Amino acid sequence: SLLLHSTSPIVVLVVQIAHIMDELLPLVLQLTKPEQRESVLLELSKKRESFPDLAPILWHSVGTVAALLQEIVSIYPLLTPPTLTAHASNRVCNALALLQCVASHVDTRQPFLSAQIPLYLYPFLNTQSKSRPFEYLRLTSLGVIGALVKVDDTEVISFLLSTEIIPLCLRIMETGSELSKTVATFIVQKILLEETGLNYVCATAERFYAVSTVLANMVQLLQVHPSVRLLKHIVRCYLRLADHSRAREALKNCLPASLRDNTFGQHLQNDPTVQKWLSQLLATVGEGNPDGASTTSTADMTQSSFGDNPL
């Protein structure tokens, strides 16, 4: 038999794993103890990148997920009226950070969906207070959903489409901070990139109009407060919508004029990807109304493109 030298890579790796488990397991077990939970949530959330297998351990440890959900539901009474403090927001966001680990891990993503845990986050996404504790809560909650959609998975999109995630994201896209808007738009973009998501949004004129109106309003605001990062996701959403025949017809007339007239040209000089997407979009939808305006409302143009009947 072969004798492994004490400094061989295999031995070193085994020792490292043992050390990590010795440090990690006691912390996870402490999550079920209310008097220790707050400090453990903070420590685990800070170290979660150092523990690649944290998600399966969290999911399969008895009582751990229940403890994280307890942290979430304990915040519900602070949502209406809005009395969430910075301390309470930080604490629940640490719990959400651990759930994001579970949502993004290949071995726990599906059980996470099957348990419908994302629904526990929707009350947070539905809040409207613009205070920092609420904004941080919404942003961290969006991060969990963003982790789900980041990996292309039809089952994830199907689950989200069975919920109210699109209306929730649309509201944040209009009223949230720039960072929250960016993450919410990314989620809508990933939903649209799936065929089922595109067909869902384009199934009725009302759904398409809801999405296209919010995108247009965002483009208008970006003329005053430019953000290439946010514009990138908006243009990608439009480009994907243009893959659908009825949406493409509607966009010929309701695509914002500022996307046609090089309003954002100077901001996109260093981002060839967005430049390419915008060129493809304009080539796909054509010139449209050269004045960027119409005597017909966007809603009427959408209805005429989609007709009376859903797909």
Side-chain angles (χ1 to χ4, degrees), residues 28-80:
V28 171
L29 293 176
Q30 289 174 32
L31 285 173
T32 60
K33 300 177 181 179
E35 69 278 4
Q36 299 177 339
R37 188 178 301 159
E38 182 173 4
S39 61
V40 173
L41 284 171
L42 177 60
E43 188 170 357
L44 281 175
S45 66
K46 287 181 176 180
K47 295 182 176 181
R48 63 186 187 276
E49 301 296 336
S50 304
F51 300 138
D53 290 324
L54 175 59
I57 293 173
L58 287 172
W59 186 259
H60 295 291
S61 298
V62 176
T64 300
V65 175
L68 296 177
L69 294 179
Q70 189 176 47
E71 289 293 309
I72 289 174
V73 300
S74 69
I75 298 298
Y76 290 171
L78 306 180
L79 303 181
T80 307

Side-chain angles (χ1 to χ4, degrees), residues 184-237:
T185 309
F186 169 75
I187 292 170
V188 172
Q189 170 191 320
K190 295 296 287 186
I191 290 174
L192 288 172
L193 287 174
E194 276 286 334
E195 197 69 24
T196 52
L198 179 64
N199 289 334
Y200 177 89
V201 169
C202 297
T204 67
E206 290 75 17
R207 289 179 188 170
F208 172 82
Y209 176 68
V211 174
S212 62
T213 299
V214 170
L215 291 174
N217 290 341
M218 294 172 72
V219 170
Q220 185 174 4
L221 287 174
L222 285 177
Q223 296 180 58
V224 182
H225 304 289
S227 167
V228 175
R229 178 174 55 179
L230 180 54
L231 182 61
K232 180 176 185 177
H233 295 301
I234 294 172
V235 170
R236 190 65 186 91
C237 285

Side-chain angles (χ1 to χ4, degrees), residues 12-31:
V12 171
L13 179 61
V14 170
V15 171
Q16 288 176 340
I17 293 174
H19 177 71
I20 290 174
M21 295 303 289
D22 286 343
E23 182 182 4
L24 177 60
L25 289 179
L27 291 175
V28 171
L29 293 176
Q30 289 174 32
L31 285 173

Side-chain angles (χ1 to χ4, degrees), residues 254-265:
C254 68
L255 188 71
S258 57
L259 291 180
R260 299 180 183 273
D261 61 12
N262 203 35
T263 294
F264 300 102

